[in-house]
Amino acid sequence: MNSSEENAVSAMSAGRSALRMGPAELVQAAAMARRFYLEGKSKIQIAEEFGVSRFKVARVLETALERDLVRIEIRVPAELDAERSDALRARYGLRHAVVVESPADTTEDAPDPENLGAVAADLLGELVSEGDVLGLAWGRSTIHMAASLHRLPQCTVVQLTGVYDAGTAERGSVEAVRRAAQVSGGDAHPIYAPMLLPDPATAAALRSQTGIARAFDYFDKVTVAAVSIGSWEPGISTVHDMLTDEERAHYASLGVAAEMSAHLFDAEGRRVGRDLGERCITVEADRLRRIPEVVAIAGGLRKASAIGAVLRSGLVTSLVTDTAVADYLLTESAPGLRPALDRADPDDL
């Protein structure tokens, strides 16, 4: 008997098997399936209604699936890629990974996907609970996210970093903090100061100012934070563009591959150039690591390797990105540990 004949016999057998269910059995199976899958009733409730055991109900529901009386479909919005999201979550031990479709232009010169902000806004709506403290770090992605917020439980919103340019504060992170607080109906604690200062003494003096000190006091209370990631290139890293050519060369020599909230990382997620933090108005890395939920919002192939580096740092727990970046991260060498869940500092390993 050849393979085509075997397939035909198999199909005939399946057909005869399906026909062995009599009409009463079919009607009962359909009714039980309706109660269970559509009406949300438990197997015990169904058993009581039909006067059978819950084990009988379980067998009937299983048979309904086998005989194709019930078909289960898992559907998510077209812009979300559930398979890549789950694979990325498992590979890096993330609490949440949300992968959206990349734009048509996925070259390394393409700008960051604009749809990440809206998806991240919806994710924050799920993660933030009433009474939480939400921290927002400077970044184009977090600014776009704040602009897309339409629902948020009442919470306190605090700025985690200074601004890229004090002269653009109204259009940047300060406005993002105000927007999030307005949507939630909670208090806002913005930081009216540049992210990078000329020297550590100036940065220390600013941190002691009343408004900035008040925001810093909230850092240990933050329960959910949203951050952006940049690669060490012009226009993609905030810190890179604020440094002199000599300073850029110095940090490049240390192997910097990524930047997040003015913290620099090498390709393995280890922090480098820690002296830069002394000149910055930003949440300290140790405090960031203690925040229960840190959501990174970053996409675009030009940031792919940088995103991988920050995921290895153990500082973030969740990621919103696009399919092009997800494919890159799923094919690069595995991180070994589950950095997002273990929150381990690579420098301590």
Side-chain angles (χ1 to χ4, degrees), residues 2 11 14 22 56 62 106 110 236 295 310:
N2 59 36
K56 165 74 172 177
E62 183 178 348
T106 57
I236 310 178
V295 181
V310 173

Side-chain angles (χ1 to χ4, degrees), residues 14-32:
R16 286 196 297 268
S17 177
L19 291 174
R20 289 194 188 107
M21 275 187 92
E25 291 178 299
L26 287 169
V27 170
Q28 184 184 67
M32 288 184 176

Side-chain angles (χ1 to χ4, degrees), residues 277-300:
E278 298 175 6
R279 297 169 49 193
C280 292
I281 303 296
T282 186
V283 60
E284 299 94 327
D286 290 340
R287 277 176 154 176
L288 198 59
R289 197 181 302 278
R290 292 195 295 268
I291 296 174
E293 185 73 77
V294 180
V295 181
I297 311 163

Side-chain angles (χ1 to χ4, degrees), residues 307-330:
I307 294 168
V310 173
L311 289 183
R312 288 180 168 82
S313 73
L315 290 175
V316 302
T317 60
S318 299
L319 175 67
V320 178
T321 192
D322 65 290
T323 52
V325 170
D327 288 342
Y328 174 91
L329 295 175
L330 289 171

Side-chain angles (χ1 to χ4, degrees), residues 41-50 52-54 57:
K41 291 187 176 181
S42 69
K43 293 175 183 176
I44 294 177
Q45 290 174 314
I46 298 171
E48 291 175 350
E49 178 183 347
F50 286 87
V52 297
S53 71
R54 62 186 176 89
V57 173

Side-chain angles (χ1 to χ4, degrees), residues 121-127 148-153 179 183-184:
D122 288 340
L123 178 61
L124 279 191
E126 293 183 61
L127 299 181
S148 299
L149 282 172
H150 295 291
R151 64 180 180 90
L152 201 63
R179 166 67 181 170
V183 172
S184 74

